[in-house]
Amino acid sequence: MDTQWTNLYPDVTALGGLGPAMRRAATLRGCDIGLPPWAADIISIETTRGFIAIDPSTEQRLFRVRVHIPGFSETTAGFSWNIASTDDLDQLVEMVAAWRQGMSVKELKARFEFMDLDEFARAIAAGEPTSLQWSGLLSSEFHRNQWNLLRRLHTDEVLRNAFPSITHGAVRLRLDPLDSTSRQVLVHEVDGERHEVMRVGVHGADWVEVESGGLIPYLRTQLSKH
């Protein structure tokens, strides 16, 4: 660890890394930041609104915060927004805890003046992650085998508002692009007339065969169930 880093982050250095420093600050302030015990210097925290990543600057004392939604494959970068920067470790962990707890954008901006959520809020309001994800999948040669199914799903006014991805050859539709635990289904095309569908995250759920003509209404029903 170089002298510049030590001078900028003596509190972090003393505790053995950003992970231990954030956990200690969170404990002292009674915050739950969801940081795994093994996290040291590379910080990525999964939340219901994407992954929160912390990137300390090497030029000045500054903790930069980014929210990230993974892309549709390992080769795509996904979607990222810079949402905050602060030199205060205590304020940082309080903000991360509030974000994880689902505090609204309006409340976050009012409580943490160092946050800049305008770009993030505009993208979510415009449905940007979802529409760009559809475009990426429908133009990806890697997923050519799923194009027919993807096009069919995308023509439906309800289903095209779900966030799509590909999992082991099956199309995954998730209601909320930021929430990996939101209602979602997997759709596998067996042939042109038959599909297999599974509701994800439901105890005991299994693949159900659905004929082509009933696929769209069946998916709508599954995504509307609580």
Side-chain angles (χ1 to χ4, degrees), residues 22 51-56 62-68 80-86 91-93 95-96 99 114-117:
M22 287 183 66
F51 286 82
I52 289 290
I54 315 295
D55 177 29
L62 193 67
F63 301 103
R64 295 173 297 206
V65 186
R66 177 168 46 89
V67 61
H68 177 72
S80 294
W81 299 270
N82 296 316
I83 61 169
S85 57
T86 179
Q91 284 283 290
L92 173 66
V93 298
M95 184 277 291
V96 171
W99 180 277
F114 58 87
M115 296 193 76
D116 182 1
L117 294 167

Side-chain angles (χ1 to χ4, degrees), residues 3 7 16 18 29 54 57 64 71 82 101-102 104 110 117 136-137 146 153 161 170 202 212 215:
T3 303
N7 291 338
L18 183 56
R29 303 186 78 78
I54 315 295
S57 171
R64 295 173 297 206
N82 296 316
Q101 291 165 6
S104 70
L117 294 167
L137 285 171
Q146 287 79 37
L153 299 177
N161 289 318
V202 176
S212 180
L215 178 63

Side-chain angles (χ1 to χ4, degrees), residues 4-29:
Q4 174 75 353
W5 174 273
T6 302
N7 291 338
L8 291 174
Y9 305 99
D11 48 345
V12 173
T13 303
L15 291 169
L18 183 56
M22 287 183 66
R23 283 191 292 272
R24 182 175 184 276
T27 299
L28 291 174
R29 303 186 78 78

Side-chain angles (χ1 to χ4, degrees), residues 6-143:
T6 302
N7 291 338
L8 291 174
Y9 305 99
D11 48 345
V12 173
T13 303
L15 291 169
L18 183 56
M22 287 183 66
R23 283 191 292 272
R24 182 175 184 276
T27 299
L28 291 174
R29 303 186 78 78
C31 296
D32 182 3
I33 59 174
L35 189 62
W38 57 84
D41 293 320
I42 300 175
I43 305 302
S44 180
I45 301 171
E46 185 174 5
T47 78
T48 57
R49 287 185 290 189
F51 286 82
I52 289 290
I54 315 295
D55 177 29
S57 171
T58 58
E59 299 175 355
Q60 59 179 319
R61 181 182 172 90
L62 193 67
F63 301 103
R64 295 173 297 206
V65 186
R66 177 168 46 89
V67 61
H68 177 72
I69 303 175
F72 56 78
S73 75
E74 293 180 358
T75 61
T76 57
F79 311 92
S80 294
W81 299 270
N82 296 316
I83 61 169
S85 57
T86 179
D87 61 358
D88 190 319
L89 188 61
D90 291 334
Q91 284 283 290
L92 173 66
V93 298
E94 287 189 1
M95 184 277 291
V96 171
W99 180 277
R100 289 186 70 248
Q101 291 165 6
M103 183 178 287
S104 70
V105 169
K106 183 178 180 180
E107 291 174 311
L108 285 164
K109 291 176 67 174
R111 180 173 172 184
F112 304 103
E113 294 183 356
F114 58 87
M115 296 193 76
D116 182 1
L117 294 167
D118 292 343
E119 183 182 353
F120 169 79
R122 283 195 299 268
I124 298 304
E128 182 177 295
T130 297
S131 62
L132 290 176
Q133 184 85 337
W134 277 108
S135 297
L137 285 171
L138 287 166
S139 62
S140 170
E141 287 291 334
F142 185 77
H143 296 299

